[in-house]
Amino acid sequence: MIIFGIETSCDETAAAVVESGTREICSVVASSKEFHEKTGGIVPEVAARKQVEFITPVISECFEKYRKEKEFDTLEDCYRSVDAVAVTVGPGLIGSLVVGVEAAKALSLFLNKPLIPVNHLVGHIYGNFVNNTQELLLPAVVLLVSGGHTDLVLMKDHGNFEYLGGTLDDAVGEAYDKVARLLGLSKYLGGALLSKKALECDENTIKGLLPRPMVDQDNFDFSFSGLKTASKRIIELNQYPREVIAREFEEAAVEVLVKKTIRAARKFNVKTIMLGGGVSANIHLREEMKKEADKLGISTQVPPIRLCTDNAVYIASAAYFNNKSVGYENVEVNPSLGIMDKL
Ligand code: KG4
Ligand code: ZN
């Protein structure tokens, strides 16, 4: 089954073709990130306008890549081979989401193929299923860490999730971004840069100075706003080098994420721990999770770095495994969709 996926939930405009939910054929991602860097944060109106500008060229380029990859003679042959269109309907910025959803509706009408709505958060999980030669054993505990979400869920099967816990305030990605900004590393989405800075620190001489919020609480919830505020105070003291603070922040955040995920994995006796979302690109998080999971004989699955941040490959894959195709007139955007919300 060939699925053409579209993703426009925030500042990336993406299209991809995926075969049988697991084989990426081609992918195109355009981003308006550079414009938001200038303003020091995302302006939803600007993001939406860029989505409008990028969506048609991105879809067109994706079909062209698909044609080359599969050596079709004509684009018409390409169109005919697509079995369904998939699109992110939420969560995200409403102005960005509607661009992708309306384009997907038009494409599904044009191709005369079903449209499959996809929850972006569930989509992130499927970065683990694409191009993966290893067998992925379920049930799994999934840690979903992005700029807007921090959720821990038990994945019993495709489309069968149990919510275990999540952040009570800020998402971990948001805390990364805020601290990166306070450290003067980036005005917008500085998670990866903060992590790079932390690597410059040979020894964490302030270990324990920052809190590890809720780490010992017997639940699966998180809180990152206190860690963010404590980091701000330490940065304002002007007493410690930036790389040391970056390292202590990263150690604090990762310690909480790993300990809670491992606790959930033990409690539910799972075979696999899966990561997903932009923050799952974090090397320290990936390494620490694997180290702790290995001790328990649990396998750790992480998406390739390229599939951690927003793209349409995992949207097409999620659509394959959770196929609920509907008439285009029944597909609506939902900016505040949660990971457990049914479509
Ligand atoms: O999933 P994503 O691309 O967008 C949302 O759906 O939110 O996640 C973006 C988030 C941002 O907060 C970004 O700073 C963070 O992921 N991020 C990282 C890393 N790469 C991206 N955080 C920590 N370390 C990284 N290497
Ligand atoms: Zn995302």
Side-chain angles (χ1 to χ4, degrees), residues 120 124 310 314:
H120 178 84
H124 267 300
D310 293 347
Y314 61 62

Side-chain angles (χ1 to χ4, degrees), residues 39-176:
T39 43
I42 193 157
V43 179
E45 171 71 16
V46 174
R49 279 166 188 255
K50 289 289 157 193
Q51 292 287 3
V52 172
E53 191 180 320
F54 295 159
I55 189 74
T56 307
V58 163
I59 290 175
S60 163
E61 190 184 333
C62 190
F63 270 119
E64 201 47 64
K65 271 191 164 178
Y66 176 42
R67 188 180 71 77
K68 284 203 186 108
E69 195 59 42
K70 287 282 187 181
E71 297 178 351
F72 285 120
D73 288 336
T74 65
L75 276 173
E76 279 65 35
D77 294 338
C78 266
Y79 299 151
R80 261 195 298 277
S81 73
V82 172
D83 296 299
V85 178
V87 67
T88 300
V89 293
L93 301 170
I94 187 155
S96 290
L97 285 166
V98 290
V99 177
V101 168
E102 291 310 310
K105 285 181 182 181
L107 187 61
S108 126
L109 255 181
F110 167 70
L111 300 173
N112 193 22
K113 292 292 156 65
L115 183 56
I116 308 172
V118 176
N119 180 330
H120 178 84
L121 299 172
V122 173
H124 267 300
I125 299 172
Y126 283 85
N128 288 293
F129 288 83
V130 188
N131 310 333
N132 190 347
T133 48
Q134 264 177 283
E135 196 193 356
L136 233 157
L137 297 172
L138 298 177
V141 160
V142 182
L143 175 69
L144 197 102
V145 275
S146 74
H149 294 82
T150 307
D151 290 318
L152 205 49
V153 294
L154 182 63
M155 181 177 183
K156 297 173 187 166
D157 205 342
H158 298 291
N160 184 356
F161 298 102
E162 182 183 327
Y163 187 74
L164 303 178
T167 184
L168 305 177
D169 42 57
D170 297 342
V172 65
E174 204 178 327
Y176 259 96

Side-chain angles (χ1 to χ4, degrees), residues 227-331:
L227 176 59
K228 202 173 77 178
T229 314
S231 305
K232 182 171 186 280
R233 266 201 304 273
I234 287 176
I235 293 165
E236 284 169 357
L237 285 178
N238 252 330
Q239 226 175 309
Y240 308 105
R242 289 192 306 170
E243 62 274 17
V244 180
I245 300 173
R247 167 119 177 233
E248 169 61 358
F249 169 83
E250 179 150 280
E251 284 187 6
V254 167
E255 185 181 325
V256 180
L257 293 171
V258 171
K259 281 197 174 154
K260 291 234 153 165
T261 307
I262 293 288
R263 189 178 299 147
R266 291 176 79 132
K267 178 166 177 187
F268 295 97
N269 201 15
V270 297
K271 301 177 168 58
T272 312
I273 288 175
M274 264 189 258
L275 303 186
V279 184
S280 68
N282 187 274
I283 303 298
H284 188 56
L285 173 62
R286 293 159 85 103
E287 286 176 357
E288 286 300 303
M289 194 68 83
K290 182 163 175 6
K291 200 170 85 192
E292 295 305 315
D294 280 355
K295 286 183 197 163
L296 301 171
I298 298 171
S299 126
T300 313
Q301 291 288 332
V302 292
I305 300 278
R306 194 173 62 82
L307 297 184
C308 288
T309 43
D310 293 347
N311 64 82
V313 175
Y314 61 62
I315 297 303
S317 171
Y320 175 85
F321 287 104
N322 301 271
N323 192 335
K324 288 208 179 69
S325 53
V326 287
Y328 78 88
E329 62 278 26
N330 296 318
V331 175

